[in-house]
Amino acid sequence: MLNASQYIKDHIRTVENWPQQGVMFRDITPLLQDPKTFRLLIDLFVHRYMDAKLDMVAGLDARGFIIGSVLAYELNLGFVPIRKKGKLPFNTLSEQYELEYGSATVELHADACKPGDRVVLIDDLIATGGTMMAGKKLLERLGAEVIEGACIVDLPELGGSRLLKASGLQLYTVCDFDGH
């Protein structure tokens, strides 16, 4: 019998010391390149959310766009991109956050969703939790209800999933990696 979580994990490459010394980067591109693995990943998310009565899927820049847009398509929902600062052409809301190796800002169009919209927030990985927390705050500023944060990978030693859960955000992750 297939262990889906382990199968997905086995298709994630670890790149040591990237983007800087001491970082173990979890690269999902091998997972995306294999059609069977990519389909399994999307099916895991589709089956989780098909009865969740969602209105939108929000994806975090940039790898959250890959999973989020396919999930939105499969669930017949709209997709909301949460982009790095300066990438959206219309009126935006901004939220700054800390990364494990710096800080950044993400933005959301001011009309991306409406009050009461039920949204799942997607990214590839939870490290310190800053990106997902910023996305959650932006969606909530527009009045959306963030039903769950979903990621392929959790890096529990970096504390992000603990931080997000403490904020009240439900989380779903496919697999986790020891170390960072």
Side-chain angles (χ1 to χ4, degrees):
M1 175 162 244
L2 176 68
N3 177 333
S5 175
Q6 187 61 51
Y7 185 82
I8 296 296
K9 187 174 180 175
D10 290 344
H11 285 81
I12 296 171
R13 173 175 38 217
T14 298
V15 180
E16 295 182 20
N17 300 314
W18 198 86
Q20 69 183 37
Q21 193 67 27
V23 174
M24 302 283 282
F25 187 83
R26 308 305 175 168
D27 180 12
I28 66 164
T29 56
L31 180 158
L32 302 173
Q33 291 167 336
D34 180 68
K36 179 180 175 184
T37 309
F38 190 30
R39 177 165 299 280
L40 175 62
L41 176 70
I42 296 301
D43 287 349
L44 289 171
F45 287 119
V46 167
H47 286 274
R48 180 160 185 92
Y49 298 113
M50 64 192 321
D51 295 323
K53 298 183 173 85
L54 296 171
D55 296 298
M56 304 286 256
V57 175
L60 290 158
D61 199 343
R63 290 171 296 275
F65 294 175
I66 299 166
I67 307 305
S69 60
V70 176
L71 178 62
Y73 174 81
E74 289 291 327
L75 295 174
N76 197 33
L77 299 172
F79 176 74
V80 173
I82 300 175
R83 304 268 342 242
K84 292 175 181 143
K85 185 177 181 166
K87 300 290 184 181
L88 292 172
F90 188 63
N91 299 332
T92 60
L93 301 175
S94 299
E95 189 73 33
Q96 186 173 351
Y97 62 97
E98 298 302 314
L99 297 163
E100 62 269 33
Y101 44 84
S103 65
T105 302
V106 288
E107 295 180 325
L108 175 70
H109 274 145
D111 63 353
C113 57
K114 60 188 180 308
D117 277 350
R118 293 171 51 88
V119 180
V120 65
L121 180 57
I122 304 277
D123 204 359
D124 67 325
L125 179 138
I126 299 172
T128 63
T131 312
M132 185 160 284
M133 183 66 79
K136 174 184 182 291
K137 287 178 181 178
L138 285 172
L139 290 162
E140 289 174 345
R141 283 169 56 192
L142 291 178
E145 181 184 356
V146 182
I147 301 305
E148 194 164 63
C151 288
I152 303 166
V153 175
D154 182 20
L155 302 176
E157 290 179 25
L158 293 177
S161 54
R162 196 169 41 254
L163 171 80
L164 292 164
K165 289 175 186 174
S167 80
L169 182 62
Q170 296 288 325
L171 289 179
Y172 170 69
T173 57
V174 176
C175 61
D176 61 3
F177 281 86
D178 295 327
H180 58 280

